[in-house]
Amino acid sequence: MASYYYLVATLPTLRLDGPLSFSTDTFLGLCKPLVSEHHYRLLCKALSGEPASHPFLKAYQHFASMVNKELVEQRSRKLSLSDPVYRNDGDKEGRISDIVRQALAQDNVLEAEMLLLALHWKFLDELATLHTFDIEALLGFALKLKLLQRKSLFTREEGNAEFKRLFSNIQTEIANN
């Protein structure tokens, strides 16, 4: 089992309410010369979302899949869509259902997204709890960095620009009909 004491010790502490320290590409650049080729491929798979056989990644990917399936089921229920394709017949967890319900009840889309990001973050904390200087610690860091990178896209300027674009499209569509 490889240990990455130096690499992990040089990484900043990540907080969901904190800034994005650096990009996932920068992180991969830091890791490439310091980790084995196999572990580097695992890190790349973690960041790309590609299915992996590593227990840590499998656990996280299964969790993320449960969240997505619960979102589909609850959104379809909210829209009164009864097609069985929307039903979540897979594994379920109460905390996932609760957070998804809370997120869908939010009037503010950003707050809803932050609830879902926090759910993923907490799961990664639990998954990486006993891993300090091993590949699992790096995988947890990489996935948290990916969450922060997603969060960094939520800016007021881009949100307003997207709203104006959508609103303009709706106005154009109404004018044409």
Side-chain angles (χ1 to χ4, degrees):
M1 182 167 117
S3 295
Y4 299 110
Y5 297 107
Y6 174 77
L7 177 57
V8 173
T10 61
L11 295 174
T13 301
L14 298 179
R15 294 173 40 109
L16 185 56
D17 61 352
L20 178 64
S21 305
F22 44 77
S23 72
T24 54
D25 290 337
T26 302
F27 172 70
L28 287 175
L30 290 171
C31 292
K32 188 158 180 75
L34 300 173
V35 302
S36 69
E37 183 61 33
H38 173 68
H39 285 171
Y40 183 76
R41 283 194 310 271
L42 275 176
L43 290 167
C44 291
K45 283 183 178 186
L47 293 172
S48 71
E50 185 181 333
S53 60
H54 189 277
F56 186 96
L57 285 181
K58 277 178 72 170
Y60 179 71
Q61 289 170 346
H62 179 70
F63 177 82
S65 172
M66 287 192 310
V67 172
N68 289 337
K69 287 177 183 176
E70 189 64 29
L71 276 165
V72 167
E73 181 178 23
Q74 288 193 30
R75 281 180 178 149
S76 66
R77 203 175 314 135
K78 192 173 184 178
L79 296 170
S80 302
L81 300 173
S82 59
D83 192 326
V85 73
Y86 300 122
R87 191 173 327 123
N88 180 6
D89 293 327
D91 296 338
K92 292 187 178 193
E93 277 190 28
R95 68 176 168 170
I96 293 174
S97 298
D98 291 343
I99 296 295
V100 167
R101 192 175 306 105
Q102 289 173 28
L104 293 177
Q106 294 292 319
D107 291 330
N108 184 325
V109 178
L110 180 58
E111 289 175 18
E113 191 65 36
M114 290 306 297
L115 282 171
L116 295 172
L117 286 176
L119 177 65
H120 283 265
W121 193 278
K122 187 173 187 319
F123 182 78
L124 286 169
D125 277 344
E126 294 167 5
L127 202 55
T129 295
L130 299 176
H131 300 282
T132 311
F133 296 107
D134 54 9
I135 185 60
E136 288 80 5
L138 291 175
L139 289 169
F141 185 90
L143 291 167
K144 284 182 173 182
L145 197 58
K146 185 177 175 182
L147 292 175
L148 283 176
Q149 196 164 298
R150 176 169 169 72
K151 184 185 139 213
S152 74
L153 299 174
F154 306 143
T155 65
R156 181 174 302 278
E157 294 79 23
E158 288 184 32
N160 284 336
E162 181 66 9
F163 175 78
K164 286 176 184 174
R165 185 188 68 77
L166 291 172
F167 190 70
S168 174
N169 289 348
I170 291 170
Q171 285 178 321
T172 304
E173 193 172 311
I174 290 171
N176 290 338
N177 290 329

